[in-house]
Amino acid sequence: MNIGDVAERAGLPPKTIRYYEEIGLVRPERMPNGYRRFRDRDLHKLRFLGRARALGFSIEDCRTLMDLYEDESRESAQVKALAEEHLQAINDKIAQLEEMRATLSHLVRSCHGDDRPDCPILRDLAQSG
Amino acid sequence: MNIGDVAERAGLPPKTIRYYEEIGLVRPERMPNGYRRFRDRDLHKLRFLGRARALGFSIEDCRTLMDLYEDESRESAQVKALAEEHLQAINDKIAQLEEMRATLSHLVRSCHGDDRPDCPILRDLAQSG
DNA sequence: TATAGGGGTTCCAGCCACTGGAAGCTCAAG
DNA sequence: CTTGAGCTTCCAGTGGCTGGAACCCCTATA
């Protein structure tokens, strides 16, 4: 497979795949003309990475997860711990965004939004406390 | 006020304030020794920026909000539109994170997390569909 | 056979919003 | 006079790509 093929099958842009190679997440072979050659194993890895990234894992987490995946003697506790940590981070992020949403939606509701300059949103941002 | 004072009062790190000057969000004067001198007006601006950033507005949005704040003839509709757009972005982000959370918490629950290698989390990441 | 196009390659720069660190200057206290 | 805190500038790095330039390779068509 060329990079375009594997990109389509893995659902990732070619640029991203080149980047993943650069940081050592995949190691495709090369053909005599310099093109990358992707095997099924590489495609499998890329799909794994795509799914892990879609769940919000960082690149370094993805690297760890791949290592664990390929380590037959892993302990599932390690995987679970990593996932739980990430889940906690997601929960924190959601909580933070929900706080923003609460404040912001309140402000939006309180602003009439017409052609007059008076604006509770700006008033709130400007208030010191 | 020196940068340290204003940093403490605005609740922002000095580094951030220097950066805000660099991108033209504040324009403190200079003292003969080269130190920045911050007036109350600068402090006010920095607090405004800090609050807007805390609500998740981008730097460019903050710039626009400040411009609107200082424009006596603004229309509150402009402010409201900006805030609504940002609120929508927050809602989208929350929805995305909640989807991650749903999948991930399901996976975490299904993994026994002991010393054996068998792991539904890795199985899920590895499955092609 | 020339050429057009749609692949592929590398490398560099930029995104966002800071943050860390080095090297050096200024100022107040002891 | 020294010490140390605080200020200055400048450069580099963060994460995870993404855009673009300049160039090479391969196939199909006029």
Side-chain angles (χ1 to χ4, degrees), chain B residues 56-70:
Chain B
F57 284 103
S58 73
I59 288 286
E60 282 319 300
D61 280 355
C62 289
R63 198 190 297 275
T64 304
L65 287 169
M66 286 249 304
D67 288 350
L68 287 169
Y69 179 64
E70 295 183 337

Side-chain angles (χ1 to χ4, degrees), chain B residues 103-122:
Chain B
T103 305
L104 202 54
S105 67
H106 170 74
L107 288 175
V108 162
R109 273 195 307 275
S110 69
C111 176
H112 35 62
D114 55 21
D115 58 356
R116 287 169 300 171
D118 176 55
C119 178
I121 300 172
L122 293 180

Side-chain angles (χ1 to χ4, degrees), chain A residues 33-122:
Chain A
N33 63 7
Y35 285 21
R36 291 167 180 83
R37 168 158 43 214
F38 293 86
R39 309 279 192 181
D40 279 351
R41 190 173 154 279
D42 299 312
L43 172 58
H44 194 73
K45 272 196 178 194
L46 288 169
R47 288 215 253 240
F48 185 103
L49 289 169
R51 292 175 67 82
R53 291 288 297 134
L55 285 177
F57 285 104
S58 73
I59 288 286
E60 282 319 300
D61 280 354
C62 289
R63 199 189 296 276
T64 305
L65 287 168
M66 286 251 303
D67 289 350
L68 287 168
Y69 179 63
E70 294 183 338
D71 174 8
E72 305 269 317
S73 72
R74 68 180 164 262
E75 303 181 2
S76 64
Q78 288 181 268
V79 183
K80 186 167 184 170
L82 190 56
E84 277 173 336
E85 199 176 336
H86 178 48
L87 186 53
Q88 187 53 55
I90 286 176
N91 280 325
D92 293 351
K93 189 76 195 161
I94 289 175
Q96 187 194 350
L97 287 169
E98 279 175 341
E99 223 180 294
M100 288 179 189
R101 171 164 68 182
T103 305
L104 202 54
S105 65
H106 170 74
L107 288 175
V108 162
R109 273 196 306 275
S110 69
C111 177
H112 35 64
D114 54 22
D115 58 357
R116 287 168 301 171
D118 176 55
C119 179
I121 300 172
L122 293 180

